[in-house]
């Protein structure tokens, strides 16, 4: 009985600790959440929904990565966290060490969805 | 017997409260030794980080004596459990115990602990040097000065993320393959393109200068407006020059800097009596300036949080911070803070043209609007007055002209303003225009009254130093400086000399206000230090120079023209202003990089010079 109880309590905890970040459940971001995030992290100086600033617009990103697979999301998520160099020309993207894995994944899903909407217009 | 114990139990806390000096503070003493030769390391920086939640400063830094010995006292601690110790000396690394740990033995006397720290000489000092080290060997001249001036207005040059960005440019993998020559040519183009994009990015980020929810803050201004160089702190030409200079001369990598490639440039002024106390502030604050002012006989530090529309009061004994909102219906952006002789605080504000007086005892505000007529209706950067600095005397107290008016600079407009607090009358007066610069680009900055309070001097960051007659309001004198010099904060000494921090060229200027002449310039020990402000110290007959890029404070002896260096204990130590406490001789300041939350320290400073 005690063993079963311990297993019941401990197993999910251990699973959560052992789970790699990529498996964390993505939290859906609302437009307001995304706007706050872009403002707080300084994303908006380089990116906009459908305006070309320094980096690609979200519509361009969504057009480039339609029907994104988990691998694509993973690749883009790493770009948000660690920055990038050369995917969209010669200007690198800076890293964002303060962004969590879950935040990066959530914002990417928002970009791919909202960008796809914007690209249809 | 029982009664005696009872008396003791009651009396000890009472005595301790009444006489804090009788309560024993934890004391740590030790010695810093080089393992290479066993010699003592003098003037090493010994920093104790207090356990989280401990009362008082977040960190206390002292320096070693000639024999390597140091001693520090932590009044709020009984022992050093949970505290961390780090020792730094340029050209060395800490080997034992590991930096950030503390291996202290209890001494014979209660509350006293001893330790020994070992350093090792290193060949690579990349992790230890201040930002100014990285462009030290880049060609000098106007382009360099303009670059230093343009970047250092908001953040250190190079801020850590600039170094990361530069390395990323070199990692861009597109371009011609297998042809080394063609690839190098392509990379030159890539560098130019990337740094030009950084300038665009910075133009947009300029708007972080305003408070978080401001109508002219970064969240609310459209992209096209952000890219309008006339509304920025540097014009289009200076942006191009900075981008080209960085593309050509920014180091391709900053992982290695040989030991011989950087030194402080002047002797250290720190002694075994120097103590730097750092007080933690809210991580999302940007507290630009801080001044000492007692309240009810108790010393406090007061600062302005431009990002969150607050004034902060720090109790140095407990480290407790009290955040006081500005009593205004909209955003204000408190910027410069100055005490007066009546124990009140005067605060200029960059947003909504506000200028205020705070009564520290009641926390009641009196506010005035200093908005010149004729500005565009919209309160955006092209139409913002940006109330910036106010005239102060030799002690840093508010000073008024002979008619009782307060003088301010309005950085959005290239105008001077006056306020008569008794009547509420305000007036505005045009300063000299600078060719090729919009009013915002000109960036009129600091103001000081002459000793007779009849002439008001002003600095323009992208222009001249000038004076205006306080009665006729006519410009009387102009002292031009070459482009990129960057005359910034000014201060008057006891002999009616005006001292000016030259932000772009790494110098200070001395102007004789009686004659209206530049009489001397002094090269700083590190010409890339980006001096932000100067402060005259009447008691010491010395000039303090606060730097943005050198992570150090300089002390100039005007008689000899010699400098001494006081290194600061933290990377990201971007100073804007230093105030001198006339009672204690202590120096007060803050770290105030305009960078994202978490990317730079947010701390108040209280320094015992140790002379």
């Amino acid at each position: 009985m005690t063993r079963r109880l311990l297993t019941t309590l401990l197993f999910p905890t251990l699973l959560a600790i052992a789970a790699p970040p990529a498996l964390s459940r993505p939290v859906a971001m609302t437009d307001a959440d995304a706007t706050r995030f872009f403002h707080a992290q300084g994303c908006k100086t380089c990116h906009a929904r459908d305006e070309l600033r320094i980096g690609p617009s979200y519509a361009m990103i969504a057009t480039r990565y339609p029907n994104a697979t988990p691998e694509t999301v993973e690749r883009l998520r790493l770009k948000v966290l660690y920055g990038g160099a050369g995917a969209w020309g010669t200007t690198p993207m800076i890293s964002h060490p303060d962004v969590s894995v879950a935040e990066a994944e959530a914002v990417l899903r928002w970009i791919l969805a909202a960008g796809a909407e914007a690209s249809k217009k | 017997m029982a009664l005696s114990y009872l008396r003791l139990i009651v009396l000890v806390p009472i005595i301790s409260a009444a006489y804090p000096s009788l309560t024993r503070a934890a004391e740590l003493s030790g010695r810093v030794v080089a393992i290479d030769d066993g010699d003592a390391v003098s003037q090493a920086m010994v920093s104790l980080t207090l356990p989280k939640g401990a009362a008082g400063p977040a960190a206390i830094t002292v320096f070693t004596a000639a024999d390597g010995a140091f001693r520090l006292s932590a009044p709020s601690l009984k022992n050093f459990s949970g505290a961390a110790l780090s020792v730094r000396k340029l050209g060395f690394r800490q080997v034992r115990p590991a930096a950030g740990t503390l291996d202290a033995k209890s001494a014979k006397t209660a509350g006293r602990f001893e330790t020994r720290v070992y350093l090792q000489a290193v060949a690579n000092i990349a992790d230890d040097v201040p930002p100014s080290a990285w462009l030290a060997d880049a060609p000098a001249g106007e382009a360099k000065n303009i670059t230093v001036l343009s970047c250092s207005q908001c953040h250190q040059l190079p801020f850590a993320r600039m170094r990361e960005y530069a390395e990323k440019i070199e990692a861009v993998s597109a371009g011609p393959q297998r042809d080394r020559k063609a690839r190098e040519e392509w990379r030159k183009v890539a560098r130019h393109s990337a740094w030009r994009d950084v300038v665009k990015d910075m133009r947009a980020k300029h708007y972080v200068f305003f408070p978080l929810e401001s109508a002219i803050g970064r969240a609310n201004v459209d992209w096209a407006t952000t890219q309008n160089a006339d509304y920025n702190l540097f014009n289009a030409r200076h942006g191009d020059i900075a981008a080209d200079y960085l593309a050509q001369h920014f180091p391709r990598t900053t992982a290695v800097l040989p030991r011989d490639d950087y030194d402080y440039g002047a002797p250290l002024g720190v002694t075994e009596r120097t103590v730097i106390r750092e007080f933690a502030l809210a991580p999302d604050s940007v507290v630009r300036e801080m001044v000492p002012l007692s309240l009810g006989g108790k010393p406090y530090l007061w600062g302005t949080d431009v990002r969150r529309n607050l004034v902060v009061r720090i109790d140095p004994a407990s480290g407790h911070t009290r955040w006081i909102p500005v009593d205004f219906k909209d955003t204000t952006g408190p910027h410069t803070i100055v005490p007066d002789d009546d124990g009140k605080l005067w605060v200029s504000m960059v947003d909504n043209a506000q200028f205020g007086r705070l009564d520290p005892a009641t926390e009641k505000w009196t506010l005035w609007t200093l908005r010149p007529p004729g500005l565009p209706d919209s309160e955006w950067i092209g139409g913002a007055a940006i109330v910036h600095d106010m005239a102060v005397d030799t002690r840093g107290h508010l000073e008024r002209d002979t008619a009782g008016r307060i003088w301010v600079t309005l950085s959005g407009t290239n105008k001077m303003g006056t306020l008569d607090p008794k009547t509420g009358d305000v007036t505005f007066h045009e300063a000299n225009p600078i060719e090729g610069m919009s009013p915002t680009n000109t960036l009129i900055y600091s103001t000081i009254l002459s000793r007779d309070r009849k002439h008001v001097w002003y600095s323009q960051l992208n222009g001249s130093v000038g004076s205006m007659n306080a009665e006729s309001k006519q410009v009387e004198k102009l002292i031009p400086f070459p482009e990129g010099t960057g005359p910034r904060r000014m201060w008057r000494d006891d002999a009616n000399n005006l001292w000016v921090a030259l932000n772009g060229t790494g110098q200070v200027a001395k102007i004789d206000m009686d004659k209206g002449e530049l009489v001397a310039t002094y090269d700083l020990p590190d010409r890339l230090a980006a001096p932000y402000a100067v402060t005259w110290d009447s008691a010491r007959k010395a000039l303090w120079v606060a730097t943005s890029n050198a992570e150090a404070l300089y002390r100039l002896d005007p008689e000899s023209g010699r400098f001494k260096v006081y290194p600061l204990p933290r990377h990201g130590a971007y100073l804007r202003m230093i105030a001198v406490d006339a009672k204690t001789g202590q120096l007060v300041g803050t770290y105030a990089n305009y960078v994202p939350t978490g990317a730079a320290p947010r701390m108040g400073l209280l320094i015992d010079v140790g002379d």
Side-chain angles (χ1 to χ4, degrees):
Chain A
M1 177 64 186
T2 313
R3 182 182 289 175
R4 183 179 288 176
L5 184 65
L6 271 175
T7 308
T8 311
L9 289 173
L10 277 178
F11 185 71
T13 313
L14 289 172
L15 193 66
I17 293 166
L23 294 181
S24 59
R25 180 179 293 181
V27 180
M29 246 185 196
T30 63
D31 285 3
D33 292 338
T35 302
R36 263 196 300 276
F37 179 88
F38 293 142
H39 179 52
Q41 294 297 332
C43 312
K44 65 173 288 181
T45 51
C46 291
H47 305 283
R49 190 182 281 228
D50 48 14
E51 183 179 36
L52 182 61
R53 293 182 181 174
I54 293 168
S57 68
Y58 301 134
M60 290 165 76
I61 296 169
T63 305
R64 186 159 171 176
Y65 302 104
N67 308 315
T69 61
E71 288 73 27
T72 307
V73 173
E74 166 77 0
R75 188 146 56 100
L76 295 176
R77 183 173 60 77
L78 292 172
K79 198 159 282 195
V80 171
L81 296 175
Y82 300 105
W88 293 88
T90 54
T91 297
M93 175 167 155
I94 200 80
S95 65
H96 293 88
D98 294 336
V99 174
S100 71
V101 170
E103 281 175 323
E105 185 149 347
V107 81
L108 265 167
R109 290 186 185 282
W110 183 92
I111 288 169
L112 293 171
E117 280 300 309
S119 65
K120 284 179 197 164
K121 289 174 186 169
Chain B
M1 184 71 176
L3 190 64
S4 299
Y5 275 124
L6 191 64
R7 277 187 187 145
L8 204 61
I9 289 166
V10 172
L11 282 177
V12 165
I14 291 172
I15 291 168
S16 299
Y19 303 96
S21 58
L22 294 180
T23 313
R24 189 172 295 286
E27 275 190 16
L28 179 68
S29 58
R31 200 158 170 260
V32 179
V33 177
I35 60 166
D36 312 87
D37 49 18
D39 284 352
V41 182
S42 65
Q43 294 183 308
M45 184 189 283
V46 181
S47 298
L48 181 86
T49 302
L50 275 71
K52 213 167 184 180
I60 301 170
T61 296
V62 297
F63 295 82
T64 54
D67 62 356
F70 70 89
R71 181 182 297 274
L72 64 80
S73 170
S76 68
L77 301 183
K78 287 182 180 160
N79 58 53
F80 291 94
S81 172
L85 195 75
S86 293
V87 178
R88 284 172 61 194
K89 170 89 180 178
L90 196 60
F92 289 88
R93 73 181 175 95
Q94 186 177 341
V95 289
R96 209 176 77 195
T101 63
L102 177 54
D103 181 14
K105 286 180 191 150
S106 193
K108 285 173 188 166
T109 313
R112 295 202 174 159
F113 298 82
E114 293 167 348
T115 189
R116 184 166 286 222
V117 179
Y118 296 91
L119 305 185
Q120 183 177 35
V122 291
N124 177 14
I125 55 172
D127 290 340
D128 274 349
V129 292
S132 54
W134 294 108
L135 285 167
D137 290 336
E142 188 180 272
K144 188 175 197 174
N145 299 341
I146 288 170
T147 304
V148 172
L149 179 61
S150 301
C151 298
S152 304
Q153 305 209 28
C154 293
H155 58 80
Q156 292 183 310
L157 174 68
F159 171 51
R161 299 193 88 182
M162 277 179 86
R163 293 167 59 186
E164 180 202 333
Y165 187 80
E167 299 222 357
K168 278 204 157 71
I169 295 172
E170 301 308 308
V172 172
S173 55
Q177 302 297 311
R178 297 193 194 87
D179 182 342
R180 203 181 164 130
K181 211 169 174 182
R183 199 165 63 238
E184 181 46 34
E185 287 307 307
W186 170 85
R187 198 164 295 284
K188 281 182 192 166
V189 175
R191 284 180 199 127
H192 278 264
S193 161
W195 285 109
R196 277 173 195 279
D197 277 347
V198 168
V199 169
K200 285 187 202 169
D201 186 27
M202 291 303 116
R203 289 205 187 285
K205 286 201 166 82
H206 267 64
Y207 288 78
V208 78
F209 178 68
F210 296 98
L212 283 177
E213 309 82 6
S214 168
I216 46 175
R218 204 173 66 192
N220 295 316
V221 178
D222 63 79
W223 174 250
T225 303
T226 67
Q227 296 306 299
N228 185 338
D230 283 351
Y231 302 155
N232 264 216
L233 304 185
F234 51 85
N235 70 4
R237 188 170 153 270
H238 284 190
D240 288 345
I241 288 170
D244 287 348
Y245 191 86
L246 293 168
Q248 287 180 53
H249 303 299
F250 198 93
R252 310 289 177 246
T253 175
T254 54
V256 174
L257 191 74
R259 173 64 192 91
D260 294 336
D261 282 11
Y262 183 80
D263 63 49
Y264 289 118
L268 296 188
V270 293
T271 70
E272 63 270 32
R273 295 178 302 281
T274 304
V275 184
I276 302 177
R277 297 174 187 82
E278 298 173 300
F279 297 90
L281 296 167
D284 57 342
S285 63
V286 177
V287 177
R288 292 181 53 97
E289 314 217 334
M290 195 158 274
V291 292
L293 182 68
S294 295
L295 179 59
K298 203 174 165 193
Y300 287 102
L301 312 179
W302 302 79
T304 44
D305 181 356
V306 70
R307 183 177 279 172
R308 303 187 307 161
N309 310 298
L310 301 168
V311 165
V312 63
R313 187 187 82 187
I314 303 177
D315 176 351
S318 68
H320 175 74
T321 52
R322 177 172 172 79
W323 299 89
I324 303 164
V326 181
D327 185 18
F328 187 69
K329 62 184 184 314
D330 205 339
T331 51
T332 52
H335 183 281
T336 301
I337 185 165
V338 165
D340 69 13
D341 291 344
D342 299 325
K344 307 289 191 294
L345 289 162
W346 294 79
V347 179
S348 68
M349 303 177 221
V350 296
D351 207 3
N352 284 303
Q354 292 303 294
F355 185 76
R357 182 181 60 208
L358 173 68
D359 182 336
T362 61
E363 297 184 3
K364 295 272 189 262
W365 284 90
T366 308
L367 294 173
W368 294 269
T369 300
L370 271 66
R371 183 172 170 78
L375 292 179
D377 285 343
S378 57
E379 175 66 22
W380 61 329
I381 197 166
I386 310 182
V387 188
H388 204 277
D389 274 14
M390 64 209 91
V392 293
D393 65 14
T394 55
R395 303 162 301 161
H397 283 209
L398 184 80
E399 183 151 73
R400 302 164 195 236
D401 69 14
T402 51
R405 291 169 298 220
I406 295 165
W407 282 80
V408 300
T409 51
L410 301 167
S411 289
T413 67
N414 195 30
K415 286 182 169 67
M416 299 292 293
T418 70
L419 166 70
D420 184 337
K422 282 187 180 160
T423 62
D425 288 346
V426 293
T427 62
F428 303 98
H429 312 284
E430 200 80 42
N432 59 294
I434 300 294
E435 195 180 338
M437 298 285 167
S438 72
T440 311
N441 296 155
T442 306
L443 209 58
I444 193 167
Y445 206 87
S446 171
T447 181
I448 292 288
L449 281 157
S450 58
R451 187 165 48 189
D452 62 10
R453 297 183 292 135
K454 291 180 177 172
H455 308 276
V456 57
W457 289 76
Y458 57 85
S459 62
Q460 296 163 315
L461 203 56
N462 284 310
S464 328
V465 169
S467 81
M468 201 175 265
N469 185 297
E471 265 324 300
S472 70
K473 319 291 192 305
Q474 298 299 307
V475 175
E476 297 174 314
K477 294 267 169 43
L478 276 184
I479 298 173
F481 286 98
E483 259 191 300
T485 303
R488 198 162 208 140
R489 275 266 165 79
M490 310 190 294
W491 208 277
R492 193 182 81 216
D493 70 13
D494 301 320
N496 206 31
N497 292 306
L498 183 69
W499 292 88
V500 189
L502 303 180
N503 196 235
T505 55
Q507 298 168 302
V508 290
K510 180 182 175 185
I511 292 168
D512 181 328
M513 284 197 277
D514 292 329
K515 294 178 182 164
E517 287 173 7
L518 175 69
V519 289
T521 54
Y522 300 81
D523 291 352
L524 297 188
D526 177 342
R527 292 292 297 274
L528 295 178
Y532 201 98
V534 287
T535 308
W536 178 247
D537 187 332
S538 287
R540 295 185 176 95
K541 303 288 176 226
L543 189 80
W544 294 101
V545 185
T547 76
S548 305
N549 287 336
E551 294 177 346
L553 187 62
Y554 295 142
R555 173 180 177 162
L556 170 65
D557 171 12
E559 285 293 312
S560 66
R562 294 206 177 106
F563 284 93
K564 284 182 180 170
V565 181
Y566 293 74
L568 296 167
R570 200 168 294 273
H571 286 313
Y574 178 119
L575 294 175
R576 289 183 190 269
M577 196 197 104
I578 285 291
V580 181
D581 187 324
K583 284 182 195 156
T584 63
Q586 290 173 307
L587 310 184
V588 174
T590 64
Y591 302 144
N593 264 301
Y594 271 113
V595 292
T597 297
R602 301 293 183 216
M603 301 179 113
L605 284 176
L606 184 61
I607 302 173
D608 290 332
V609 174
D611 50 5

